Amino acid sequence: LAKTTQPISMDSYEGQEVNITCSHNNIATNDYITWYQQFPSQGPRFIIQGYKTKVTNEVASLFIPADRKSSTLSLPRVSLSDTAVYYCLVGSSGNTGKLIFGQGTTLQVKP
Amino acid sequence: KAGVTQTPRYLIKTRGQQVTLSCSPISGHRSVSWYQQTPGQGLQFLFEYFSETQRNKGNFPGRFSGRQFSNSRSEMNVSTLELGDSALYLCASSSRRGDPLQGNEQFFGPGTRLTVL
């Protein structure tokens, strides 16, 4: 699994766009980039996954530059309910069903 | 379709006791993974089952064990509980055998909060 680096915490205000960047310099050719969201005392929830360029769904967008050594999760117009920990995962588990979570980024949305 | 369910949601035990936690995956899902989450260590993988077979195991002592039944429901057991076993235990299911980082999304349950006194 590729080592990932993301900010420990971020603050934002309601209605703002939030961008969380994850660095993964040793990403392998076949690796995908996956983001999970976790609210307090709940299990993580899959947000988005991508391989290159841009991926968008109803929750977020994922921007991946051409060299794929980093990625940015973009949350449009955040609300208080977006306060959570966001995890960036990169790599392959080799069909083991195993996810390895780092420290994640704690996003605090303020009114 | 109902999500992953875990029972009980909260549990209080004392040191030396044993505990069994239950997980019911999403209907049709055959892979079940277990994770332990603590403030100090974060989310750590315990083990994964597919079709009643343990495919992979994390770095936890033998006091932690699990099993999966023919209906894909899974249980994990912790024997001789220690204070450090206090944690949120999460179960996740996926539809098939495969890489959760390569399109085989894992769906997590709400967890069981275990407190060891």
Side-chain angles (χ1 to χ4, degrees), chain A residues 1 30-34 36 38 41-46 49 87 89-103, chain B residues 9 31 33 35 37 40-41 43 45 48 55-58 88 90 97-103 105-111 113:
Chain A
L1 291 171
N30 295 329
D31 288 346
Y32 280 70
I33 299 156
T34 307
Y36 274 79
Q38 185 178 26
S41 297
Q42 292 187 30
R45 181 177 75 112
F46 173 92
Q49 184 179 84
Y87 296 96
L89 294 88
V90 176
S92 169
S93 74
N95 289 335
T96 63
K98 173 181 178 179
L99 289 173
I100 296 178
F101 291 84
Q103 293 297 314
Chain B
R9 291 294 313 278
S31 171
S33 298
Y35 296 82
Q37 186 170 29
Q41 299 298 318
L43 268 159
F45 173 81
E48 190 254 356
R55 288 199 295 154
N56 196 23
K57 185 171 167 40
L88 180 66
L90 293 158
R97 182 175 187 173
D99 192 337
L101 296 178
Q102 301 280 350
E105 180 185 344
Q106 283 191 353
F107 296 83
F108 283 80
R113 173 74 63 185

Side-chain angles (χ1 to χ4, degrees), chain B residues 5-71:
Chain B
T5 58
Q6 293 186 244
T7 56
R9 291 294 313 278
Y10 302 90
L11 204 50
I12 299 175
K13 292 286 188 178
T14 56
R15 281 181 298 175
Q17 288 187 310
Q18 75 162 17
V19 66
T20 299
L21 311 181
S22 180
C23 170
S24 293
I26 292 173
S27 178
H29 283 195
R30 297 170 63 190
S31 171
V32 173
S33 298
W34 287 89
Y35 296 82
Q36 180 197 64
Q37 186 170 29
T38 60
Q41 299 298 318
L43 268 159
Q44 293 185 286
F45 173 81
L46 279 158
F47 29 65
E48 190 254 356
Y49 286 87
F50 182 85
S51 293
E52 302 178 65
T53 301
Q54 186 182 89
R55 288 199 295 154
N56 196 23
K57 185 171 167 40
N59 295 324
F60 280 82
R63 301 184 297 106
F64 291 82
S65 62
R67 60 178 175 169
Q68 186 180 33
F69 302 95
S70 58
N71 61 358

Side-chain angles (χ1 to χ4, degrees), chain A:
Chain A
L1 291 171
K3 177 177 167 56
T4 59
T5 302
Q6 50 183 126
I8 297 295
S9 63
M10 293 182 68
D11 288 339
S12 181
Y13 291 92
E14 282 190 293
Q16 288 187 330
E17 178 185 73
V18 171
N19 295 310
I20 305 174
T21 297
C22 179
S23 298
H24 29 80
N25 291 321
N26 59 340
I27 187 170
T29 303
N30 295 329
D31 288 346
Y32 280 70
I33 299 156
T34 307
W35 286 81
Y36 274 79
Q37 173 193 56
Q38 185 178 26
F39 299 114
S41 297
Q42 292 187 30
R45 181 177 75 112
F46 173 92
I47 301 177
I48 198 165
Q49 184 179 84
Y51 182 79
K52 62 180 180 180
T53 62
K54 176 184 175 182
V55 180
T56 298
N57 61 24
E58 65 279 4
V59 177
S61 293
L62 179 60
F63 297 92
I64 305 169
D67 67 5
R68 303 200 327 121
K69 293 184 183 299
S70 67
S71 59
T72 299
L73 174 72
S74 181
L75 305 172
R77 298 179 296 281
V78 294
S79 64
L80 296 177
S81 62
D82 291 315
T83 294
V85 180
Y86 293 82
Y87 296 96
C88 167
L89 294 88
V90 176
S92 169
S93 74
N95 289 335
T96 63
K98 173 181 178 179
L99 289 173
I100 296 178
F101 291 84
Q103 293 297 314
T105 297
T106 299
L107 172 66
Q108 180 70 51
V109 180
K110 302 175 182 179

